[in-house]
Amino acid sequence: MRVRTGLASTAALALLLTGCGLKSGSPLVDEVEPGSIGQGQPLKGASLTVTSKNFSENIILGQIMGLIFKAAGAEVLDRTNLPGSISAREAVVKGEADALYDYTGTAWITYLGHAEPVVDPQKQYEVVRDEDKGNGVTWLPPSTLDNTYALAISKKNNAKYRLKTLSDVAALAKDPKAVTVCVENEFASRDDGLPGMQKKYGMNLPASNIQKMDAGIIYTQVSESDSCLLGEVYTTDGRIKAMDLDVMEDDKQFFPNYNAAPAIHTATLKKHPEIAELLAPVTEMLTTPLAQELNSKVDVDGQDPHEVAKDWLIEEGFIQEG
């Protein structure tokens, strides 16, 4: 989704961005066969590299993509879990990776440099698809999975405030001491994050009311402590339900649509046009509630993203065990 930074060292990140660190990866060794898709193994003889960003949902999506390619006959190199959006994106642009599931809002705002999101999700996809062609990236049709930003509050605390929308939060924030928030560093500074949200909703939170921390800690702080009344969350995160949080409605439609869609290195797709047909039925199944369910298996239950992806594909009949 958005540019989510990892804990990689500066040196490691520099290697990634120059391409020197993008040669490594692990071959997918799963013995999988076609199920409802990949019949006839149309990718037999192909050698493909899949990548992803370094958060649970995108790793799961990268594993899903890799396993589909593997079942369809390809030799697959797994280079998922790269630090941040830029590393994974640049790998596909340069052809050092062939494909990833990326997000339309990230492309429009972060990669293509537009300040204003497109409200309609289909139109958001279309303008990204059309503009990114010039960068050697082909976007296939998107899912309805929308991993956008939100603010959330614990149901326990919300019993007092009864907040439902960001406009409700803005009204409460007129009391300088009433609203404290926990956010990631990037959300605290990005135009499509806290600064832009405050401007849109007429908020002016004092700096002392804003705490910056790792995304995973935010959920715990909002749920279990009084250090912040609200916290930045992602709408597909499984911890929202597990930690009993109420998500604020973005009633002024500030946050961009972050619909997941396959982003393919154009030269790869020209060589292997079958990729579009292979991924289409999988992408159609990806919804926000499904993402919450799959993400929860990793972030709440502690399961491995690869196994979560594989189990889901087998359950849906897309692939079979070899």
Side-chain angles (χ1 to χ4, degrees), residues 31-67:
E31 295 292 335
V32 290
E33 297 179 350
S36 61
I37 58 178
Q39 293 292 324
Q41 294 196 311
L43 293 179
K44 194 170 184 62
S47 179
L48 299 173
T49 299
V50 296
T51 189
S52 82
K53 310 170 192 189
N54 62 336
F55 58 95
S56 298
E57 175 179 294
N58 207 242
I59 297 170
I60 293 169
L61 293 176
Q63 296 297 323
I64 285 173
M65 184 176 276
L67 287 163

Side-chain angles (χ1 to χ4, degrees), residues 279-290:
L279 293 177
V282 177
T283 303
E284 289 175 7
M285 288 282 290
L286 298 176
T287 64
T288 298
L290 174 64

Side-chain angles (χ1 to χ4, degrees), residues 217-233:
I217 300 174
I218 293 172
Y219 292 83
T220 304
Q221 290 297 306
V222 172
S223 175
E224 299 178 4
S225 81
D226 294 322
S227 62
C228 46
L229 183 67
L230 294 119
E232 167 204 354
V233 298

Side-chain angles (χ1 to χ4, degrees), residues 161-174:
Y161 295 105
R162 301 184 183 278
L163 302 174
K164 294 182 179 180
T165 68
L166 289 178
S167 290
D168 292 340
V169 175
L172 181 62
K174 293 186 184 302

Side-chain angles (χ1 to χ4, degrees), residues 26-106:
S26 302
L28 283 186
V29 296
D30 303 77
E31 295 292 335
V32 290
E33 297 179 350
S36 61
I37 58 178
Q39 293 292 324
Q41 294 196 311
L43 293 179
K44 194 170 184 62
S47 179
L48 299 173
T49 299
V50 296
T51 189
S52 82
K53 310 170 192 189
N54 62 336
F55 58 95
S56 298
E57 175 179 294
N58 207 242
I59 297 170
I60 293 169
L61 293 176
Q63 296 297 323
I64 285 173
M65 184 176 276
L67 287 163
I68 289 294
F69 293 165
K70 179 75 173 178
E75 292 296 321
V76 179
L77 187 65
D78 176 5
R79 284 193 9 228
T80 56
N81 200 19
L82 293 185
S85 291
I86 300 300
S87 298
R89 156 73 174 187
E90 286 302 300
V92 173
V93 169
K94 295 176 181 177
E96 294 169 340
D98 296 293
L100 84 155
Y101 268 99
D102 214 331
Y103 300 87
T104 55
T106 306

Side-chain angles (χ1 to χ4, degrees), residues 15-279:
L15 284 172
L16 284 165
L17 293 177
T18 58
C20 297
L22 291 174
K23 303 301 182 185
S24 62
S26 302
L28 283 186
V29 296
D30 303 77
E31 295 292 335
V32 290
E33 297 179 350
S36 61
I37 58 178
Q39 293 292 324
Q41 294 196 311
L43 293 179
K44 194 170 184 62
S47 179
L48 299 173
T49 299
V50 296
T51 189
S52 82
K53 310 170 192 189
N54 62 336
F55 58 95
S56 298
E57 175 179 294
N58 207 242
I59 297 170
I60 293 169
L61 293 176
Q63 296 297 323
I64 285 173
M65 184 176 276
L67 287 163
I68 289 294
F69 293 165
K70 179 75 173 178
E75 292 296 321
V76 179
L77 187 65
D78 176 5
R79 284 193 9 228
T80 56
N81 200 19
L82 293 185
S85 291
I86 300 300
S87 298
R89 156 73 174 187
E90 286 302 300
V92 173
V93 169
K94 295 176 181 177
E96 294 169 340
D98 296 293
L100 84 155
Y101 268 99
D102 214 331
Y103 300 87
T104 55
T106 306
W108 187 245
I109 301 293
T110 303
Y111 308 152
L112 301 176
H114 297 278
E116 294 295 325
V118 179
V119 174
D120 180 83
Q122 179 62 25
K123 290 181 180 178
Q124 174 78 94
Y125 159 70
E126 290 172 359
V127 293
V128 166
R129 176 198 62 193
D130 295 346
E131 187 168 334
D132 220 12
K133 285 179 182 177
N135 297 314
V137 179
T138 299
W139 286 73
L140 301 179
S143 66
T144 62
L145 186 166
D146 182 17
N147 189 351
T148 193
Y149 289 119
L151 290 185
I153 184 174
S154 69
K155 290 186 184 296
K156 176 185 66 177
N157 284 335
N158 208 22
K160 173 182 177 181
Y161 295 105
R162 301 184 183 278
L163 302 174
K164 294 182 179 180
T165 68
L166 289 178
S167 290
D168 292 340
V169 175
L172 181 62
K174 293 186 184 302
D175 177 352
K177 298 181 180 180
V179 175
T180 53
V181 297
C182 290
V183 296
E184 289 181 291
N185 282 326
E186 288 194 18
F187 186 79
S189 60
R190 286 174 54 138
D191 289 338
D192 61 341
L194 187 62
M197 185 201 76
Q198 290 202 74
K199 182 178 179 181
K200 181 75 171 184
Y201 283 92
M203 293 188 221
N204 186 22
L205 297 176
S208 59
N209 289 23
I210 301 170
Q211 293 193 53
K212 301 172 187 177
M213 59 187 66
D214 181 76
I217 300 174
I218 293 172
Y219 292 83
T220 304
Q221 290 297 306
V222 172
S223 175
E224 299 178 4
S225 81
D226 294 322
S227 62
C228 46
L229 183 67
L230 294 119
E232 167 204 354
V233 298
Y234 306 114
T235 51
T236 58
D237 200 298
R239 289 168 290 190
I240 291 173
K241 183 176 180 180
M243 295 187 174
D244 216 20
L245 307 181
D246 285 338
V247 176
M248 301 296 98
E249 178 190 349
D250 180 14
D251 51 308
K252 292 187 177 181
Q253 297 183 308
F254 166 72
F255 292 119
N257 299 295
Y258 289 96
N259 294 102
I264 315 296
H265 184 62
T266 299
T268 299
L269 191 60
K270 287 180 178 178
K271 186 176 181 180
H272 302 291
E274 307 87 2
I275 287 174
E277 184 176 348
L278 290 168
L279 293 177

